Amino acid sequence: MDRIGGTIKQKYQKFLDDVVPFIVPRWLFVVGILFYFVYRIIVLQGWYISCYALAIFHLNLFIAFLSPKIDPSFELAESMDDDEGPSLPTNNNEEFRPFIRRLPEFKFWEQTVISTLIAIFSTFFDCFNVPVFWPILVMYFFILFFLTMKRQIRHMIKYRYLPFTHGKTKYKDSNKEVVNEPSPVPEPPLDPSTLIPM
């Protein structure tokens, strides 16, 4: 039994390793299964609790995706206890520290796919079709979404980080002139008949 479980885990890990570089197709797959799930909800006119639970779970995943792995507020509190200042860079000369997510993009994708497939699977069973007044769930979700995003954006502004950066920002030095260097001219290819034998 352990051999079968190990084989399944290896095949699953091999599949995950194979799909890592295909970011756009992976997320298009997520969009496709989400559309299928919403289509089932609309056609079946039920399973609103499953839809609400999935939306809340995806919101939690998204917040973890936007959050830094090491929360600056905890780091700041610890540094104040040690009588040190904040350790985030405050000017251009300090060391660049890349943004490291609490939930990496690939794990975000994997958990989104798994949770959506579970939600789709739940729509095949009537025991998960709890009768509720769905407009209240939609309203509550949007209120929760806006309050959570407001708090997250305030946190991002307070600790000056952006979760969508690509490398270190390059600043112009106001004291120096920017000089455009000429582009290198490619050398002509060598002619073998002009080479001197050694």
Side-chain angles (χ1 to χ4, degrees), residues 60-118:
N60 285 333
L61 291 177
F62 185 62
I63 293 300
F65 176 71
L66 292 178
S67 301
K69 186 173 188 176
I70 301 168
D71 192 350
S73 60
F74 294 138
E75 200 172 81
L76 182 63
E78 287 177 7
S79 66
M80 292 302 177
D81 291 341
D82 298 337
D83 294 330
E84 297 175 10
S87 61
L88 291 174
T90 56
N91 62 35
N92 297 340
N93 298 330
E94 290 187 32
E95 180 184 355
F96 170 67
R97 293 173 55 187
F99 183 80
I100 301 170
R101 299 178 188 286
R102 186 164 25 128
L103 182 67
E105 180 269 335
F106 187 75
K107 289 291 183 188
F108 179 31
W109 172 81
E110 181 185 16
Q111 291 182 9
T112 302
V113 168
I114 291 170
S115 62
T116 306
L117 291 175
I118 290 171

Side-chain angles (χ1 to χ4, degrees), residues 151-163:
R151 190 190 73 198
Q152 185 68 28
I153 290 169
R154 278 189 181 162
H155 191 267
M156 292 157 82
I157 291 170
K158 181 178 181 182
Y159 294 104
R160 290 182 272 149
Y161 67 89
L162 284 175

Side-chain angles (χ1 to χ4, degrees), residues 13-84:
Q13 189 60 49
K14 171 79 169 90
F15 169 73
L16 292 180
D17 293 342
D18 289 344
V19 298
V20 167
F22 305 107
I23 297 172
V24 173
R26 283 192 283 120
W27 285 102
L28 287 175
F29 176 73
V30 168
V31 169
I33 61 176
L34 281 172
F35 272 127
Y36 177 69
F37 176 69
V38 171
Y39 172 76
R40 280 192 61 82
I41 296 296
I42 291 170
V43 168
L44 297 174
Q45 295 292 309
W47 288 270
Y48 301 119
I49 289 290
S50 296
C51 189
Y52 177 73
L54 181 68
I56 294 296
F57 186 71
H58 285 182
L59 177 62
N60 285 333
L61 291 177
F62 185 62
I63 293 300
F65 176 71
L66 292 178
S67 301
K69 186 173 188 176
I70 301 168
D71 192 350
S73 60
F74 294 138
E75 200 172 81
L76 182 63
E78 287 177 7
S79 66
M80 292 302 177
D81 291 341
D82 298 337
D83 294 330
E84 297 175 10

